[in-house]
Amino acid sequence: MINIRNFSRTFGSHKGLDNISITVRPGEMVALIGASGSGKSTLLRHISGIMAGDKGGGDIRVMGRIVQEGGSIDRHIRKTRAEIGMIFQQFNLVGRLAVLTNVMLGSLGRVSIFKSLTGRFPRAVQEAALEALRRVGIADKAGQRASTLSGGQQQRAAIARAMVQRAKVLLADEPIASLDPESSRRVMDLLEELNRQDGVTIMVSLHQVDYATRYCQRTIALRAGQVVYDGPSSALTPAVLKDIYGAASEDMFGEELFAETDEPAMAEVIPQPYRPGLCAGAAA
Amino acid sequence: MLKPGLNKRFINMFFAALGLCVVVWAWQGTEMDMSALLNGSANMAEMLSGFMQPDFTDWRYYVEEMVVTVQIALVGTLLAIIFSVPLGVLSADNVVPWWVYQPVRRLMDVFRAVNEMAFAMIFIAAVGLGPFAGVLALFVHTTGVLAKLFSEVVEAIDPQPVEGIRATGAVAMEEVAFGIIPQVLPLWISYSLYRFESNIRSAAVLGMVGAGGIGFSLSEQLRSFNFGATAAIMLMIIVVVVIFDLLSQQIRKRFV
């Protein structure tokens, strides 16, 4: 579904993404974790073709279609983007437009420009938008301006927009980073539902590791633009996390989590590391 | 510690002296002559006494001309708004590449740099005397101003909603229509109304060069020393300008 091969992106002398290769199969829900600045956002924005990688720096395909290759974004990117839903940390709704209009904008990829620019969205789109709002539980807000909604409600509206888009792949960039725990749970439940019921392939970057282990079977971890872990979320042990997050990790997870590192039983479940050199160092 | 303080005082004095030189230079260049003011006091007194008795005998004609003045301002501003929407977007550096916004911006600079009166004289040469030349003059100058103001608003938008729309597979026109326009509309409306206000003021003098409206009567009466009629026309201009200023202020308040 998502194929990334030897992909790199350099910002000046800083390697934003460093020779990344990832394959996501249809129907998977994958968590993307890593410290701030590790490249999670950058990777997702490159998969949706909003940013272009280095010249000669690998390729990205989604659903078999080329998104970008060797640093240039494909000419038919709009067609591909229409298949890729994107959820953002700041929701990225148009605040002054009604919630329903925002959700209907999900259809821009398939509705003719003459209809959209004159504001005449087909009846089917209007109905799909209302249905999506019902599914995410904010149908009663359809007529309000998006800016009047709470953060959690705005994120659910953004998910409704991706539903109207009929996206087969959903990229969620820190969707719950600015939400309270209750809203976070509802948003993650919705993503899980989309994945299980509708078969949408989901890649979601997360700040909190516990959400990754609870909602996603597979986790990919980035550090300094490199994949340092790619495997089952259940095998994310404190030792692995320490390796992923480096020195900052103790602040994030607290001392007690790392106290367990010394127990020999934990050492045995450390998974086959994606990059043996890095993980072996942490286990030693 | 003493030396930097002294230095600073010296620099301050230097710039104060420089500023004084510039003022003296400009004073001499403008032939400022206080004695002319005093010698002309008799003329002034005559003018003032004329002004004290406004002559409204031809008021029907002045009202007709005033209506034309407002019409010139309205049509000129409307045309400018219509053209400023695309030109404003095309001068925004966060929407188009430099090889688009640089030439468009320079063209808008030209439109803005030339005063309405100068444009009016140019268009009179092209289309003849009358309000049409005035409309064209206001249209071109206002387009230069509004396109710049519009583009500055576009450059200050939040890019995130636009990215959200781009991610749905929208084409560029749709990104502008749904991502940018809703964000900039309140300020665009406010600026447009403000330009309408100032275009009524400008339209009132366009007639002086023959580009239609009340300005023609104003300069005619002034030239024939009919101070009473001049005062009547000026009063009417002031009343109309104040009414439209208040009106547009009220409308603008609703949008910002």
Side-chain angles (χ1 to χ4, degrees):
Chain A
M1 209 63 173
I2 304 174
N3 292 292
I4 306 170
R5 256 192 341 194
N6 307 325
F7 194 82
S8 294
R9 170 67 197 263
T10 316
F11 300 101
S13 61
H14 166 70
K15 288 212 172 222
L17 296 173
D18 189 1
N19 197 26
I20 284 187
S21 294
I22 293 171
T23 300
V24 177
R25 288 175 298 279
E28 273 196 286
M29 180 157 169
V30 182
L32 195 59
I33 64 168
S36 311
S38 60
K40 304 188 293 289
S41 249
T42 313
L43 179 60
L44 291 175
R45 291 156 71 89
H46 280 87
I47 297 174
S48 73
I50 290 176
M51 295 171 88
D54 289 345
K55 271 207 166 65
D59 59 79
I60 296 179
R61 280 158 211 268
V62 175
M63 302 176 67
R65 294 205 184 122
I66 295 171
V67 170
Q68 52 177 303
E69 197 170 25
S72 61
I73 292 175
D74 189 72
R75 279 193 305 124
H76 307 294
I77 185 64
R78 291 213 166 85
K79 283 252 178 291
T80 313
R81 261 187 211 144
E83 307 279 350
I84 308 173
M86 188 108 193
I87 306 286
F88 304 84
Q89 180 179 347
Q90 292 307 327
F91 331 123
N92 293 18
L93 300 174
V94 185
R96 293 181 57 87
L97 293 182
V99 174
L100 185 68
T101 312
N102 266 290
V103 174
M104 287 196 294
L105 293 183
S107 69
L108 286 182
R110 59 176 187 276
V111 169
S112 87
I113 183 166
F114 302 105
K115 288 211 166 143
S116 71
L117 287 185
T118 49
R120 292 178 297 129
F121 284 94
R123 185 147 205 101
V125 169
Q126 295 178 28
E127 276 162 12
L130 271 171
E131 175 55 29
L133 282 173
R134 261 193 290 277
R135 259 185 90 177
V136 302
I138 51 169
D140 55 320
K141 314 277 184 204
Q144 286 185 25
R145 276 187 182 178
S147 57
T148 61
L149 268 57
S150 72
Q153 290 169 336
Q154 288 197 41
Q155 195 61 293
R156 284 190 273 156
I159 292 174
R161 180 167 72 184
M163 287 174 173
V164 169
Q165 196 180 335
R166 298 184 199 148
K168 307 286 187 303
V169 175
L170 192 61
L171 306 173
D173 185 7
E174 301 268 8
I176 57 171
S178 38
L179 301 182
D180 59 86
E182 171 60 17
S183 301
S184 299
R185 198 186 52 72
R186 293 193 75 155
V187 164
M188 288 307 291
D189 284 347
L190 271 171
L191 292 182
E192 189 178 42
E193 187 191 313
L194 272 179
N195 174 250
R196 296 238 172 108
Q197 286 184 16
D198 306 43
V200 177
T201 308
I202 295 180
M203 201 161 178
V204 50
S205 71
L206 293 163
H207 234 78
Q208 303 98 317
V209 179
D210 47 335
Y211 279 99
T213 49
R214 203 187 315 163
Y215 284 95
C216 307
Q217 301 225 312
R218 176 181 170 195
T219 292
I220 295 169
L222 296 180
R223 194 171 89 172
Q226 294 183 323
V227 174
V228 290
Y229 178 86
D230 184 356
S233 308
S234 53
L236 281 171
T237 59
V240 177
L241 291 176
K242 191 171 183 177
D243 181 49
I244 293 166
Y245 288 98
S249 60
E250 289 188 37
D251 301 333
M252 288 184 68
F253 308 113
E255 293 290 333
E256 67 276 20
L257 194 64
F258 286 92
E260 295 172 13
T261 329
D262 298 329
E263 289 175 23
M266 289 302 266
E268 283 163 25
V269 293
I270 291 176
Q272 275 307 97
Y274 187 83
R275 282 181 182 268
L278 276 160
C279 278
Chain B
M1 285 309 284
L2 198 74
K3 217 178 169 189
L6 265 177
N7 256 342
K8 207 174 168 193
R9 262 173 71 186
F10 180 75
I11 288 168
N12 282 346
M13 274 166 67
F14 172 75
F15 278 108
L18 193 72
L20 198 67
C21 286
V22 171
V23 172
V24 168
W25 169 74
W27 187 276
Q28 283 178 338
T30 51
E31 297 172 16
M32 290 292 287
D33 186 359
M34 287 302 152
S35 59
L37 261 182
L38 286 174
N39 295 338
S41 57
N43 290 341
M44 284 231 198
E46 193 193 331
M47 210 192 252
L48 273 177
S49 69
F51 275 172
M52 285 303 138
Q53 299 139 7
D55 173 11
F56 283 99
T57 37
D58 284 332
W59 67 271
R60 279 172 206 280
Y61 175 66
Y62 301 151
V63 168
E64 263 172 46
E65 289 294 286
M66 201 66 231
V67 169
V68 174
T69 306
V70 173
Q71 286 170 330
I72 293 171
L74 189 69
V75 178
T77 313
L78 201 67
L79 284 174
I81 293 169
I82 292 168
F83 279 78
S84 294
V85 169
L87 288 168
V89 172
L90 292 176
S91 342
D93 63 10
N94 55 347
V95 181
V96 291
W98 68 268
W99 47 266
V100 175
Y101 71 73
Q102 281 297 350
V104 176
R105 275 186 196 176
R106 295 297 81 82
L107 182 68
M108 293 305 109
D109 286 350
V110 173
F111 285 3
R112 214 168 43 247
V114 182
N115 186 277
E116 293 104 324
M117 293 295 262
F119 269 128
M121 288 190 271
I122 293 168
F123 283 119
I124 284 168
V127 301
L129 292 164
F132 183 47
V135 167
L136 290 177
L138 286 186
F139 160 45
V140 175
H141 181 79
T142 308
T143 301
V145 176
L146 277 185
K148 183 184 169 67
L149 291 172
F150 282 10
S151 77
E152 279 175 4
V153 181
V154 171
E155 284 172 1
I157 59 159
D158 175 5
Q160 291 179 331
V162 185
E163 211 169 77
I165 285 165
R166 183 173 305 155
T168 65
V171 298
M173 284 277 279
E174 291 169 326
E175 284 178 31
V176 173
F178 294 109
I180 296 176
I181 302 285
Q183 289 193 59
V184 298
L185 204 57
L187 269 177
W188 278 14
I189 291 173
S190 171
Y191 285 144
S192 301
L193 283 167
Y194 176 69
R195 277 318 295 191
F196 177 55
E197 275 172 45
S198 61
N199 276 348
I200 287 186
R201 296 192 288 267
S202 301
V205 291
L206 278 176
M208 288 185 171
V209 293
I214 192 89
F216 177 71
S217 314
L218 181 67
S219 68
E220 280 305 294
Q221 300 299 346
L222 198 56
R223 256 180 245 168
S224 36
F225 302 104
N226 291 332
F227 296 128
T230 309
I233 293 170
M234 284 177 77
L235 278 173
M236 287 176 72
I237 292 176
I238 289 168
V239 168
V240 169
V241 165
V242 167
I243 287 173
F244 276 94
D245 276 15
L246 291 175
L247 212 68
S248 110
Q249 265 180 40
Q250 286 306 315
I251 303 173
R252 275 195 285 146
K253 266 188 201 153
R254 286 164 202 267
F255 284 102
V256 183

